[in-house]
Structures are given as structure tokens and as C-alpha cells.
Amino acid sequence: MKTPKQKKYGLATVLGLMIILTGWNAFSEKGGVVQTIKNATSTFDNGSVESVPPVPEDTVLAQVRYQGGTFRVETRKDKVKRFQCSQCHNNQPVAIANAVETAHGDITLNHGDKVKQLACFTCHDKDNRDVLITEKGTKVDMDHSYQLCGQCHFRQKKDWIGGAHGKRVSWWAGERVVKNCASCHDPHAPRFEKRWPKTYSRPFTE
Amino acid sequence: MGFLKNKSGRQQITDEHRPCQDSGRREFLKKAVKAAAIGGTAVVTGCQAPGLLGSKEEFALQFQEYFKAHYRLMTEKERDTTITRLERLAKLQKNVDVQISSKEAMPGVLFGYGFNVTRCEGYMECVSACVRENNLDRKSNMQYIRIFEMEPGQMTPDAGQGKFFNEVPVDGRFYMGAQCNHCDNAPCIKACPTKATYREPDGIVVVDYDWCIGCRYCMAACPYYGRRFNWNEPVVPVKEITKKQHYLGNRQRRRGQMEKCTFCVQRTREGRLPACAEACPTGARIFGNLLDPKSEIRFVLENKKVFRWKEELGTDPKFWYFID
């Protein structure tokens, strides 16, 4: 049998608990968009967006994984003029006059420090011209040149895999398709050139 | 229009989608409008030479457009009707076949944007693509995006040079873009007296252009200079009009209406990147779904040094700047 005093204390405890819980609830909902992001842990099914077309044909599955999933990169071999290279470079001297000028005259090499410029065979394999070669001697397919560039530019490679460097091709939804290193950078002169802007800005305050 | 409907007191527009309860009154209004349209057309054709106010049909359509509801209060059918009217009007006035979409936000999607301050080189490709995509006024040279040339140490675009005229990038300077930040707690929404501007479920802050009265309170309220006002009737060359449009996005605006970046709602709801992110030649612009832990924007937020502009104002923007 409860006395009225016990009842009073019981009621006060329940009320106090309610106030604390309500306060806690209100507090936990604060934090705005950052909290919303932290709470979102289930992956979004990118394939559920119906309007996304199938992946472009000139892409290939990357040999690395990003955030636990696979992704595709743009191909390179079909964009290199006169691929395969072994058509001319087949372990015999090329017996055409001015062959270097005719075939590779458009290449200006400006890669690496001015003190230590890279040479052709830093990246190209001397024995098999169809592939690239790393410092360790691993042969790298031209479609997967990020394996080669990532030797020195490892920070950029890490960012590129995650999505902070480089860019996706046209669609944020659907299967992830990203630009390859050589899609944006000329591998022989990778720095972007100085040029005039495409258009001009209006002043901040008119 | 908003005030007329709100005078009953209980007819307030809430922040959520709400089924309309007074279909009887709406039906009556519709009939009245139709009757008035017919009457109005008769008056016009009776008193004035044809062509002064456009054709009979054009006038009727414009008259009906004048009495439509707020986009959020429209039923599916009403949305379809107004879109049909708008498409027909575009055909009559400019002889272009536009497709206006009314695609809803996808569930489980919250759009966010990352801007790489280190990578941006000031080429302004994004600005140009934005102008083309969103049918911005060419007469007043309207632009949603602004790019600033910044000296080392400057942290906010207010301090930067917005009128640079030189080859870019300049050594020792960096470039910073400013556009609508799509705040989760947006001051512009609070300032709007007609609730013409509001936050969509996927986080985009949009304007129902036809409910905008042009008071420019939102422009004054926005701390990011993200809003643009149509001082003149927008001029877009017919050849350059982007025909794939969205009701809340790049459809035709009129003089006296406010407009802003919508994260290219007509593209992003389809799964595409915004025009600026697609056009960027340096990959400085990252766009994606904030609720997806596997998205690029989430990688940026979790692995890079990010900051938001004027975060201390509590506007809670969904636009992050980051450095490599």
C-alpha cells in the first residue's frame, strides 16, 4: 500500500524523467545537415535511378576499388592515334626517313622538374611499346595508366580513387564512371596551360 | 495571389505537402476563371487589333496562368495542366518546343556540393555552361556563379578580386567560386513573404517564379549573394534556349521575378551532374548525394580539409569548400 507521499515522489520522478528525455530528444535532433549526414549510413542504390543510360562503351572496369565498390574508367588505347605501337616498333630499327618527326613530332615533353625531366622510357616499356612500365618493372596497360602515374602522384591517386580529384563523367547516379588521368592531362605535359577565361565575371556589388 | 487566399485565416501554406481540402471553392474559382478568360478574350478581340496582345489563344493561356496555385499546393493534374499551358505558350511566343518536367525529388537523396579551392584555375567554363543551361538573361549578362581571384591568406570571396581580366591562373593566387549555398536553414526562405521560395525534400532551395512578387527581400537576406533579380524582360537567343526544362528550374522567367541556382534541378533529378560540374575542366567541382556513404561528396567531407563560408551565421549551407 503506497502512502500519498510515495505517490508524490513517484509522480515527480516520472515527470523529471519525461523532461530529461524530451530535452535529450530535442538536443539529439540538433546539429543540422552535418548530423543528418552522420546519421545516413545506408548506401543509396545508384542503380535505382531509371533515367541513367547504360555506361559508355569506351570505359573499362578499374583495377582498384573505391569505398568498397568497383568503378569504371575511360579507356585510352582507342584514343591514341596509330595504336598499336608495335606496328612500327617491333624490335627492328624503324627504316623510314624522318620517322620521329612524322609520327611523334606533336609531342613536347614537359613532365617532371626542369632539373630532372622524364624521358620516354621512364614510362614506356622499351621492349614492348604497347604497354607502360613502372619503376619496379611491372607492365601497365595504357587503359590503366593511373597505376603508373600513382607511383609519384600517390596523393592524387588516393584522392582520385575516392572522388576528390578528377571527375565523374556526366552522371552522379548510375554506375560510377570517372575520367582517367590522361583524359584531362596530357601525359607528356600534364600541367594545365595558362589561358584567357571563357567569359568574364560581374563584380560582386553593382 | 497568396494574400487573397490566405485571408480566410485557416488557408496557410505549410512547409509540407498538403492535400487540398477546399476542392469546392477551387472548382468554383476555376470555372470563374474560365468564364473570365472567355469574356476577356471577347473584349480583346472586340476592341483591339489582333496581334497587339498576341493571339486569342495566347491571351487565354496567359489569363489562365495568372490564376494557378502555388506549385506545392497543386495536384498532379493541375501541374500537368499548367505545364501544357507553358509549353504551348513557349511555342506561340518563341516557336520553340520545350519539355517542362515536374519530376519530384528522389527519396533518400540530399544534394551537396564540394568546391576544390586548390584545383580551380579561374577558367570560367562553369559560368559559361551555367548561363547556357539555365537560359539566363543575356541582356543584363546575368550569372549565377562568380569566380574570385584571391590573394594567399584570404578566406572569403568578399575579399577577393571579382573582376579579374588576365590570363589565368596567375602564379601565387588561387580562385574561389561563389553561388547559392542551398542552406538547410536558409535566410531567404524565412524572408520571403509569399512563400514562393522554399526547400525541396532533396535539399534544393527553389523559387516558384509565378508566386514571386519581386520584393527582393530574399536578395537582401542572402549572405552569399546567391540570388539574381530580373530587372528587365530576360532575353535569350531562340537558338540557344535549353529545351529540357523543369518547372522549378530553367523555364522561362519574366521581368520582376527572382531567380537563383537550383543545382540544375532539371539535370540532377535525372541523375546527371549540374552543368557547372560537368563543364569544369579541372575537376574542382564535386557533386553528389550526401546521404550515400559511398558518394564522392561524402569522401570529400570525411577525408579532406573542408570549410563552409560564413558557417557562423547558422545558415547550414550544403556547399563545402575544400583544399587538397
Side-chain angles (χ1 to χ4, degrees):
Chain A
M1 184 78 192
K2 283 178 181 171
T3 61
K5 209 177 183 185
Q6 271 176 325
K7 262 188 187 171
K8 227 182 196 174
Y9 279 129
L11 202 68
T13 324
V14 169
L15 268 174
L17 265 174
M18 273 172 76
I19 289 165
I20 290 166
L21 282 175
T22 325
W24 182 261
N25 196 29
F27 181 74
S28 63
E29 273 171 25
K30 269 190 180 173
V33 75
V34 174
Q35 195 58 47
T36 316
I37 296 165
K38 279 180 185 162
N39 293 344
T41 46
S42 55
T43 45
F44 177 78
D45 181 17
N46 270 332
S48 67
V49 187
E50 287 158 11
S51 41
V52 180
V55 287
E57 276 179 17
D58 61 338
T59 59
V60 64
L61 207 64
Q63 290 166 345
V64 286
R65 294 169 77 80
Y66 92 109
Q67 289 141 49
T70 56
F71 66 101
R72 301 180 76 85
V73 291
E74 281 191 339
T75 52
R76 174 73 179 159
K77 280 190 285 202
D78 54 343
K79 279 147 201 135
V80 175
K81 283 183 233 160
R82 297 185 293 273
F83 193 81
Q84 314 245 349
C85 310
S86 53
Q87 289 173 91
C88 298
H89 299 283
N90 44 13
N91 290 336
Q92 280 162 25
V94 182
I96 304 165
N98 277 335
V100 177
E101 200 48 44
T102 322
H104 304 304
D106 54 337
I107 294 172
T108 42
L109 196 62
N110 182 16
H111 193 169
D113 213 318
K114 271 175 190 149
V115 191
K116 196 179 177 242
Q117 278 282 1
L118 302 189
C120 307
F121 298 123
T122 319
C123 303
H124 290 278
D125 188 3
K126 210 166 189 172
D127 305 319
N128 180 4
R129 301 293 171 86
D130 290 337
V131 297
L132 305 166
I133 191 159
T134 63
E135 289 292 306
K136 276 185 182 168
T138 320
K139 288 183 168 46
V140 175
D141 193 282
M142 283 208 194
D143 287 345
H144 299 283
S145 54
Y146 49 88
Q147 306 278 36
L148 185 99
C149 308
Q151 295 178 98
C152 302
H153 308 284
F154 49 89
R155 284 193 204 94
Q156 282 84 344
K157 189 188 170 193
K158 189 177 157 243
D159 280 351
W160 175 78
I161 291 169
H165 183 106
K167 57 188 286 185
R168 267 180 96 126
V169 181
S170 226
W171 302 81
W172 67 264
E175 197 179 346
R176 186 180 186 234
V177 181
V178 294
K179 298 222 173 211
N180 215 328
C181 307
S183 305
C184 304
H185 299 279
D186 176 357
H188 300 114
R191 187 175 286 277
F192 289 148
E193 299 266 313
K194 265 193 189 193
R195 64 173 162 96
W196 284 95
K198 175 113 175 187
T199 180
Y200 295 97
S201 206
R202 298 187 65 191
F204 216 17
T205 44
E206 271 110 287
Chain B
M1 290 296 109
F3 292 128
L4 287 178
K5 275 182 193 156
N6 287 344
K7 260 186 186 162
S8 64
R10 60 194 166 79
Q11 250 305 102
Q12 293 290 321
I13 307 165
T14 55
D15 275 10
E16 301 300 319
H17 287 275
R18 208 170 52 87
C20 66
Q21 292 158 349
D22 53 342
S23 57
R25 200 171 66 96
R26 180 149 296 160
E27 282 307 307
F28 168 75
L29 255 172
K30 256 189 204 163
K31 275 176 198 158
V33 164
K34 266 180 199 155
I38 294 159
T41 327
V43 168
V44 168
T45 42
C47 307
Q48 285 164 322
L52 197 66
L53 271 172
S55 67
K56 247 191 218 179
E57 191 191 357
E58 192 184 330
F59 180 76
L61 286 172
Q62 273 177 338
F63 201 83
Q64 287 166 36
E65 268 295 288
Y66 200 69
F67 289 96
K68 68 184 174 186
H70 188 286
Y71 185 68
R72 273 193 297 178
L73 296 179
M74 280 187 208
T75 59
E76 199 71 24
K77 208 181 147 200
E78 282 173 317
R79 285 183 183 183
D80 290 344
T81 332
T82 180
I83 280 166
T84 322
R85 276 200 300 261
L86 287 169
E87 285 174 350
R88 181 73 191 139
L89 271 173
K91 180 76 184 163
L92 286 171
Q93 289 169 344
K94 298 202 168 167
N95 198 24
V96 283
D97 296 296
V98 297
Q99 297 106 42
I100 301 177
S101 151
S102 61
K103 200 170 171 17
E104 294 272 348
M106 281 177 260
V109 173
L110 184 68
F111 289 127
Y113 210 106
F115 186 94
N116 192 337
V117 175
T118 319
R119 289 277 159 251
C120 180
E121 310 268 46
Y123 293 140
M124 306 279 284
E125 297 273 356
C126 51
V127 181
S128 172
C130 173
V131 169
R132 281 297 285 263
E133 170 67 29
N134 289 304
N135 299 326
L136 297 190
D137 177 28
R138 310 294 204 276
K139 193 179 170 191
S140 66
N141 189 21
M142 189 189 284
Q143 296 167 348
Y144 289 165
I145 307 170
R146 279 162 182 180
I147 306 284
F148 294 89
E149 198 169 71
M150 315 275 291
E151 298 287 342
Q154 290 176 335
M155 286 289 280
T156 141
D158 305 63
Q161 163 65 271
K163 288 193 284 184
F164 59 90
F165 187 78
N166 44 258
E167 281 198 328
V168 288
V170 176
D171 293 334
R173 295 204 184 133
F174 70 98
Y175 297 83
M176 200 164 172
Q179 62 198 79
C180 172
N181 278 232
H182 293 274
C183 311
D184 241 34
N185 184 19
C188 54
I189 297 177
K190 292 178 195 164
C192 183
T194 62
K195 308 229 167 177
T197 187
Y198 61 98
R199 180 188 178 276
E200 281 278 298
D202 50 5
I204 306 175
V205 178
V206 291
V207 185
D208 183 347
Y209 305 119
D210 294 320
W211 276 68
C212 176
I213 54 169
C215 67
R216 294 182 283 130
Y217 282 12
C218 53
M219 201 182 196
C222 179
Y224 304 106
Y225 314 94
R227 291 184 160 256
R228 304 286 180 273
F229 186 67
N230 284 295
W231 290 98
N232 52 282
E233 196 66 39
V235 182
V236 185
V238 175
K239 269 186 194 167
E240 292 180 12
I241 291 178
T242 308
K243 296 193 180 75
K244 227 167 136 41
Q245 301 178 348
H246 194 283
Y247 190 89
L248 301 169
N250 56 349
R251 74 182 167 95
Q252 173 74 53
R253 273 86 57 184
R254 313 219 55 104
R255 189 177 74 168
Q257 288 173 349
M258 194 50 94
E259 59 178 282
K260 63 187 282 298
C261 157
T262 57
F263 275 167
C264 286
V265 60
Q266 66 280 359
R267 293 166 66 99
T268 46
R269 289 224 174 134
E270 304 267 307
R272 293 186 82 176
L273 291 171
C276 49
E278 191 177 321
C280 180
T282 62
R285 291 170 172 271
I286 311 287
F287 180 83
N289 181 4
L290 288 170
L291 300 183
D292 180 11
K294 283 175 79 177
S295 66
E296 282 96 345
I297 183 75
R298 281 287 288 266
F299 177 85
V300 168
L301 295 187
E302 280 151 28
N303 292 282
K304 308 301 285 184
K305 298 181 186 83
V306 295
F307 68 97
R308 293 187 285 181
W309 182 18
K310 298 185 184 173
E311 194 172 10
E312 68 279 8
L313 297 179
T315 50
D316 216 5
K318 290 190 285 294
F319 192 98
W320 282 267
Y321 294 93
F322 68 101
I323 52 171
D324 265 354

